[in-house]
Amino acid sequence: MKNLYDDVFLYDSVHGGFADAETFDFYDRQISLYGAPVLELACGSGHVLIRLAEKGIEIFGLDISAKMLGACQRKAGERNVKVKIQAGDMRQFELGRKFKVIFIAGNSFQHLIENADVSACLDCVKRHLAPGGKFIVEVLNPYIPLLMRERGRKFMVGAFGNYVLTEDVRYRAATQVNHIRWHFWHRPTDEITTLSFALRQFFPQELNALFEFKGFCIEEKFGDFNQSAFSDDSPKQIIVAGLI
Ligand SMILES: C[S@@+](CC[C@H](N)C(=O)[O-])C[C@H]1O[C@@H](n2cnc3c(N)ncnc32)[C@H](O)[C@@H]1O
């Protein structure tokens, strides 16, 4: 079965609106507070990166998928924006320079499945942060009822253009990894394309502990892009961290 990021067209048809105004404003605000240059890890097809580059912010992107980077380059070209992006693994990169802000948007940090992956990524980030620099990560706030949905049953996600998207999930409690399959039904042809991906769940105290264990100091923890304080019902965990 293909991975979600192997089909950029379908990925983009769902995530087109993902960098909504509130998300974009959040990153824009953080960068105006802490400065540039900026590095986006797992920048994907550039929903956030292109808009920040469009504003004249000096920003670099890194992603493991050549297809996603290709789409990012193409979309930036269509908007006449120059983007500096390169292929690389957020667990192992050396860019030879430091950044005032490094961020990982769109739950991409949840692709770090093992603790060793998280540790390797945080080590790389530490080496690339300028003095006083900030690392910003957004992940989901795990919602147990959603994780524990009946196995094999398809649940509606929504309609995107000509597609209706349903999903089925298998959450493995031992590894804290949610294995997700997205089923895209193309209404005009009745064809179904299934794409898979996996998201490690980070429970709130665990996430804080991982950061602190690796020498980061959590300066802010928001529950959403409107910068509300993180609480029980927050959809997200958004950490702004510096180095101790
Ligand atoms: C949710 S998407 C990207 C979101 C992105 N902010 C956007 O605007 O499209 C997740 C991305 O993580 C990338 N990815 C997964 N594992 C990675 C790794 N180890 N290193 C770098 N990128 C990775 C995937 O290729 C994919 O593009």
Side-chain angles (χ1 to χ4, degrees):
M1 187 187 307
K2 283 208 298 186
N3 181 275
L4 175 62
Y5 307 121
D6 289 331
D7 194 322
V8 183
F9 175 79
L10 287 179
Y11 168 81
D12 271 349
S13 55
V14 177
H15 291 83
F18 132 75
D20 59 14
E22 201 166 62
T23 310
F24 175 74
D25 287 349
F26 171 82
Y27 284 107
D28 194 25
R29 204 176 312 124
Q30 297 299 318
I31 292 164
S32 57
L33 281 175
Y34 303 117
V38 177
L39 171 64
E40 183 183 359
L41 297 174
C43 63
S45 62
H47 294 105
V48 182
L49 180 127
I50 294 172
R51 289 185 63 186
L52 291 171
E54 220 161 24
K55 277 205 76 180
I57 292 167
E58 189 185 7
I59 181 166
F60 298 79
L62 181 119
D63 198 281
I64 207 166
S65 158
K67 281 189 182 166
M68 294 291 272
L69 289 174
C72 180
Q73 195 69 261
R74 179 183 45 75
K75 289 192 287 184
E78 285 164 7
R79 293 167 76 142
N80 270 325
V81 186
K82 281 212 163 60
V83 287
K84 297 171 191 160
I85 50 177
Q86 76 176 63
D89 189 327
M90 61 180 152
R91 297 166 298 183
Q92 191 179 18
F93 61 93
E94 182 48 70
L95 302 178
R97 62 177 303 181
K98 291 185 188 283
F99 300 88
K100 294 268 185 60
V101 173
I102 301 179
F103 72 90
I104 306 183
N107 309 324
S108 307
F109 192 76
Q110 293 183 245
H111 291 316
L112 299 169
I113 301 290
E114 307 278 348
N115 283 345
D117 300 324
V118 176
S119 174
C121 175
L122 294 179
D123 283 338
C124 286
V125 168
K126 275 161 82 172
R127 284 199 299 276
H128 287 80
L129 266 188
K134 305 294 173 216
F135 179 43
I136 305 172
V137 163
E138 41 148 317
V139 297
L140 295 169
N141 183 16
Y143 184 57
I144 310 282
L146 271 185
L147 295 172
M148 300 314 293
R149 283 177 292 174
E150 188 187 333
R151 227 181 256 180
R153 183 163 159 197
K154 289 182 184 167
F155 296 88
M156 179 60 70
V157 178
F160 304 90
N162 280 327
Y163 292 91
V164 174
L165 175 59
T166 54
E167 68 178 5
D168 72 281
V169 302
R170 179 174 183 195
Y171 176 61
R172 305 194 76 141
T175 54
Q176 296 182 199
V177 177
N178 198 18
H179 299 268
I180 301 161
R181 291 189 300 188
W182 274 1
H183 310 279
F184 291 87
W185 171 45
H186 185 239
R187 282 182 292 194
T189 59
D190 206 24
E191 263 178 40
I192 293 179
T193 306
T194 299
L195 302 171
S196 68
F197 60 107
L199 291 179
R200 154 91 181 258
Q201 304 300 305
F202 291 98
F203 287 86
Q205 302 229 41
E206 171 197 16
L207 184 65
N208 297 359
L210 282 167
F211 269 68
E212 282 155 12
F213 180 69
K214 293 299 292 184
F216 285 87
C217 165
I218 298 174
E219 295 178 3
E220 309 262 20
K221 185 157 181 177
F222 302 118
D224 209 342
F225 293 109
N226 59 12
Q227 299 201 181
S228 52
F230 178 71
S231 69
D232 295 347
D233 301 323
S234 298
K236 305 221 72 144
Q237 306 180 67
I238 307 176
I239 283 183
V240 180
L243 289 175
I244 289 171

